[in-house]
Amino acid sequence: MIIEHPLLGPRDAQEFVYLGDASLIDRPDGMAEDSVECFHDYLYLRSNPAGLHRELWFHEGGDRSWLVVTRDTVTHEIVKVELAADVARQRGRCR
Amino acid sequence: MAYSAFRIALEAIRGHAGWSPVWRDATPRAEYDVIVIGGGGHGLATAYYLAKAFGVARVAVLEKGWLGGGNVGRNTTIIRSNYLLDANEPFYEFSLKLWEGLSRELNYNAMVSQRGVLNLYHSDAQRDAFVRRGNAMLLHGADAELLDTEGVRELAPFLNFENARFPVKGGLLQRRGGTARHDAVAWGYARGASRLGIDIVQNCEVTGFRLKEGRCVGVETTRGPIAARTVGCAVAGSSSRLMGLAGLRLPLESHVLQAFVTEGLKPCVPGVITFGAGHFYVSQSDKGGLVFGGDIDGYNSYAQRGNLPVVEDVCEGGMALMPMIGRAKVLRMWGGNVDMSMDGSPIIDRTPVDGLFLNGGWCYGGFKATPASGWCFAHLLATGEPHPLAARYRLGRFLTGDLIDEKGMGAQPNLH
Amino acid sequence: MSAPNRLSHRLPGGLIDRKRTLSFRFDGREYHGHPGDTLASALLAGGRMLMGRSFKYHRPRGPLTAGSEEPNALVELGGGACREPNARATTTELFDGLEARSQNRWPSLSFDVLAVNDLLAPFLTAGFYYKTFMWPRSFWDKVYEPAIRRAAGLGRLSGAADPDVYDKGFLHCDLLVVGGGPAGLTAALAAARAGARVILAEEDFRFGGRLNCDAGLFLGADQQDWISACVEELSSLENVRLMPRTMVFGAFDHGIFGALENNPPQAASGPRQVLWRIYARRTVLAAGAVERPIAFADNDRPGIMLAGAVRAYANRWAVAVGRQVVVFTNNDDGYRTAADLMAKGVEVPAIVDTRSDAAVDVGVPVFAGAAVVGTSGRLRLSGVKLRLSSGEERSLKCDALALGGGWNPNLHLTCHQGHRPVWREDIAAFVPGKAGPPGLRAAGAACGAFSTANALEGGRDAANDALEDLGFRRQDVKLPEAEGRTPSIVAFWHVRSKGGRAWVDFQNDVTVKDVELAHRENFRSVEHLKRYTTLGMAPDQGKTANVIGLAVMAELSGRTIPETGTTTFRPPYAPVSVAAFAGRSTGEDFRPRRLTPSHDWAAEQGAHFVEAGLWLRAQWFPRPGESHWRQTVDREVLATRGSVGICDVSTLGKIDVQGTDAAAFLNRVYCNGFAKLPVGRVRYGLMLREDGMAMDDGTTARLAEDHFVTTTTTANAVAVFRHMEFCRQSLWPGLDVQLVSTTEAWAQFAVAGPNSRRVLQRVVDPEFDISNEAFPFMACGEITVCGGLRARLFRISFSGELAYEIAVPTRYGDGLIRRLMEAGRDFDITPYGTEALGVMRVEKGHAAGGELNGTVTARNLGMERMVSAKKDSIGAPLSRRESLSGEDVLKLVGFCPLDPAQPLVAGSHLLPEGAAAQASNDQGYLTSAVYSPTLATPIALGFLKRGDARLGEVVDVANPLMGTRVRARVVSPHFFDPEGGRLRV
């Protein structure tokens, strides 16, 4: 596969390490009352769609960016690649 | 019709006109006691044991495509019970015992070949881990032997002992492990189930669940609705997709695992050998092909095919371990979709929807579990209670922390 | 030159270089051929038709084809470690001295004992083995299976390491053209002239495809002249790479193709094969088509060959495959074979055409509406039996039969991503479907355009379409005038007859009867048919067989072919050697080797090295007179504890953490607190995974308010850095913190033992006070050594002694170790390796790899108090789950055998004293076990249920795997100096 890195252009997927569902960006509050339940859902449950999937890849053999790749899990077609930091900010994560 | 050499001789004389269908293709009825979704190894075994061991015969197996077309027909056929953890080892040992009697039980030769499974180690740390695992196997009544370098050399003199990057220091051997003919397992269970009156329905895709007051009372299919009090899903690789129809999210990811076979060769590899310093394991089929594989591709996929980096990685491991296979030629490569679970262990459990049960999460190791999985899932479907040997394969274990993590990789499916 | 009759099958002409004669051997007998020959063509020229045996019935076989789809003529090539099994004689390029042997026969090819299977064929039907071999049970393992295995298999591996070199390469292009026949050549020309970067890959060693094999395809121009002109032009262009002998074997995601390039035989240099990964923006598949046979009784005898192959042997290789060649066909193509043969003076006694309206006036007797219903001859065809349209049967003498059942487009690559082909009734073949791998177009015969004119145009047009997509200008390539008729065909798959076996899959011996049996037993889906009968599973992967099998099944079940199913294909297109996929990553080069900064120095000391991941680390440093590694390690430990030792610890991961929020960041990735760590101090940190399990541990030093240096274990260096970057970028992108891995940037040495300070004081520049008061336990600082070299000093200890770790830029590592050794000479400074390091850490009860196995929590480690409840940190919430936080969990404790003569073994399980060795009594396991020279007893660490509450208790350390059981006392894991007084002096 080829991943179109937003900063570096097309790179072979072999340069990357895969983590999984981009929802891992949405880490719950660890100090909340129901944190065990929230973290269970966050860490263990997956939508695992057959179709478009937003997922985290790390450019370990490159610039060490974490990317959010939107990829079809049936055809492997990649439709979008973003910096994870940008996505995280869009989702309201900051400090 | 019972199979035997005599029967073959008789048919040979009659021009083989007397053979009948190995299983009966049924048209679905309006209602069953139990519906098993998935006509693969686990689904068919479940149906067989439901009738055979638990006396439930009003059962249908619904298969989306052709029987045995999922992972039971795409794996590398290894059977073994070399597990470490209490939650796993008795289950897989039970499975291995069922394998040992399977051909006769089914009157169908599944070509169970107990020529040994040898896991190699290349460091002291790996040896320590294998000692712990081997001892666990023995404490559970399975067989295990620890070999040193010389012991391995005796068994497999063709391994790279001379200029290895990671020298072979020894191995953990389970002599009762080995391989079985994967397709025959599906066909044998299908034949057995069919003979016990179970309906096997091919080309029947489940498109939804019928729920009534929060309870599952049947399924919608491409061939119409079918009612049942109990519905069991055994569709590993697609569990998330199917259970999504019931509104459930599972602790699973679907990944692709590739496998490879070479052209036929005269016998050269005894039993199953796994490399401990790279991703490579191999056995030789009855027909002579080297059947081998390695790691999963590592990204979510439903595509039943993989990519070159993993192909190369696996072959690099093969050449590093056994450089004699260099001129063997890869004939075919294929991929299977596997349910990778969050701790690397399976799920056989009730779901939050009453009457709906799940058998999945087998990662890349479901084939060896087929008989025990069928048995334990049948127990659950028939009695509503988990079988003691599968009592910890619960959906809720991630919430309680009662994890079954053989490799210690945590909640990252592609590392298991 | 040997007897002239050996070459008597040679015809005039052909694309062979008659000026040179090559000699070679097959089964020990000498033959001759010419450059341009394949092994098969040269053998045929020498009158040798019998080349192999079938898999199951050991039927004698000659070649069926002239290409890589060959099912029969598989041979062993070469000798010794270079022996290659299952080589296709039909594609093996001939060279002088080639050695080939037939395979899967005993004692000889012409007399094969296992041919007895052929007599037993009535019993050995498809899947017979599933129905028997079950009685008596013990016979399966001991008798049946070994016998089946011995009989199965084709060629033999040499058993020795493959001695050849294989390589890998990466190529990028605008247009990849797969296949160098008429369509491929025009495609490449169009793209090349447009200025696109073009790769033209051709499986054969000669470009031209069917233009080399068929006469009269061009109306006017000379076919060879045109090919030469094309190749000449293409080779002259910088933007074109011509790759003959290159088989594109797979179409992978995003336009990545796998290709295998063979070096010419006996090439003076270069690897045997190169595996290319080709990144193509667009691809034209111009791989041609493969002919298929017709099934009829005994259609597998040597001398029965596909009609197109017969033509190819005659035209390209100037070989008459027989003296009297009957043609059996269901389409016009067979007539071409007859015409070409007759033009070369070969007798064609008859054309047997299954079509009742077949032409009759072609200068040869044509039997329209007839079929071949049987054949005779054992090692070579001697005659055929016909059934005429009248029903009358007639025998014909012949020594070869050209069989034309129609052509299957080579659409394999279009299926590699799960797309399905579609059926075209008019040509009775599957063609590529509308959907296929993105960017790939098929042209010419590969998409069912069977005339030469269509191929030429199709190639050019496909390339032009691709060029347009990419923004290049379309090119008007002038095409030679060529025949434009699509051969007409009336599908005909198999001849129905009573008795006799009609082969569908030649290599695997699958006959029409087997397909019938599969149908009867309900193996009716294509996949069931394939798996039950093994149709299409042989080395040729059913290239000639699958469609016939499908057609027979369709007929039996009363469905059309597309209703019955489609054929599909998986990579590789043709088999690829395992060695090619591995390239140079074999033997000691399997993976790179990482060397520590002191590696050369350690090697000079005679160190024994051990693999630690990719690292090679000094395990111990033997001295003369030491005969066992334990002696060495004991000495290293005692010398360190007694005076001073030194160890390279550069392999530990080092991560520089900088920024105004660095402390806040570390406070979240470690479960214990870092916010209040003062500058100039080091703290031990425990890092959890989000699931609450211990991920890694290490020390973190605060060099400045906004600057920390974190260390990781050697094994987890990469994963920890990745994890921390994830936290930084994806969880808290707003924190002002930057990370950089500096593992390779610093050489770091542990200097440990009561005299360590004295040694260091001789190296550290005098302006830095490292006295106990100025630089106490857990202090850190940036200093200079050896007169101005910048360094970092940490007063931390893994050994439990007064100890330091000193780091200098990597390139000074070798110099520093030598200076330290020099400085420590008075104190008998002793280098120690990973083994002594391990012994000392077990004596101190520090957790390491054996303990941090991914399934233990801080509580298991006895560190639950480190998990701060006052803050949110990775892993803290889920570490509070009920099964992880109970009192009944495993706890890390120490063990001493009651009898110090009895060693403890890591991996042993812990049982109550005297309890039966069964799982229900299992209470834990040993993680690390060493001999402690300090305490003069074996000691071990392990996890024991409620272990911390059981100190003093005696348990059994059971190791049934090695047959031992040792009584041991449960003790604190801190065996040595539990108060840590030695650290602080």
Side-chain angles (χ1 to χ4, degrees), chain B residues 16 67 73 109 112-113 132 135 163 165 181 263-264 266 307 313 316 327-330 333 398 400 408, chain C residues 84 86 104 122 130 140 145 152 155 162 164 168 253 520 528 531 576 591 614 689 881 883 909 961:
Chain B
H16 295 280
L67 183 151
N109 193 343
V112 173
S113 171
R132 181 182 165 210
N135 280 322
N163 65 341
R165 172 72 178 80
R181 170 84 182 107
E263 298 173 335
K266 287 296 174 194
N307 276 296
D313 179 63
E316 286 167 9
R327 277 170 145 86
K329 294 191 278 286
V330 176
M333 48 183 83
F398 303 101
T400 61
Chain C
E84 178 189 355
N86 307 328
N104 194 30
Y130 300 132
W140 171 249
E145 207 206 357
D162 187 337
D164 277 318
K168 288 188 192 173
D253 280 319
R520 198 169 297 138
H528 285 146
R531 288 153 187 266
V576 177
R591 290 293 179 257
L614 295 180
R689 295 191 310 231
R881 283 179 286 180
S883 295
H909 286 237
L961 196 62

Side-chain angles (χ1 to χ4, degrees), chain C residues 580-652:
Chain C
F581 280 120
R584 291 180 187 261
S585 299
T586 62
E588 291 179 0
D589 296 329
F590 168 53
R591 290 293 179 257
R593 212 180 236 105
R594 299 178 75 182
L595 302 180
T596 63
S598 67
H599 184 86
D600 291 349
W601 170 83
E604 287 165 24
Q605 311 308 306
H608 183 272
F609 292 99
V610 65
E611 297 79 21
L614 295 180
W615 290 100
L616 213 52
R617 297 186 72 180
Q619 194 172 15
W620 55 75
F621 293 81
R623 280 192 184 165
E626 291 172 345
S627 57
H628 189 277
W629 64 267
R630 259 281 308 285
Q631 276 180 293
T632 308
V633 172
D634 288 358
R635 170 182 54 73
E636 291 173 8
V637 170
L638 294 173
T640 302
R641 296 219 185 278
S643 176
V644 60
I646 184 164
C647 181
D648 190 327
V649 294
S650 309
T651 61
L652 293 179

Side-chain angles (χ1 to χ4, degrees), chain A:
Chain A
M1 292 195 287
I2 297 170
I3 294 175
E4 189 79 29
H5 191 301
L7 305 177
L8 303 175
R11 316 293 298 200
D12 194 303
Q14 208 173 352
E15 295 174 9
F16 295 80
V17 174
Y18 182 80
L19 178 63
D21 196 318
S23 66
L24 287 170
I25 289 174
D26 304 319
R27 185 176 186 273
D29 175 9
M31 301 304 279
E33 201 57 14
D34 58 350
S35 66
V36 170
E37 287 75 18
C38 293
F39 271 82
H40 166 265
D41 293 359
Y42 159 74
L43 188 64
Y44 289 108
L45 299 187
R46 297 280 197 269
S47 297
N48 194 22
L52 288 184
H53 185 232
R54 298 190 84 197
E55 57 199 24
L56 286 155
W57 293 75
F58 181 54
H59 198 196
E60 187 146 292
D63 76 340
R64 296 170 282 132
S65 288
W66 275 95
L67 305 181
V68 173
V69 175
T70 307
R71 188 179 57 93
D72 191 311
T73 58
V74 177
T75 65
H76 294 171
E77 185 194 4
I78 291 175
V79 299
K80 195 173 181 185
V81 185
E82 303 153 275
L83 291 175
D86 292 346
V87 174
R89 280 194 196 90
Q90 284 156 22
R91 294 204 203 184
R93 300 205 68 88
C94 185
R95 292 176 61 83

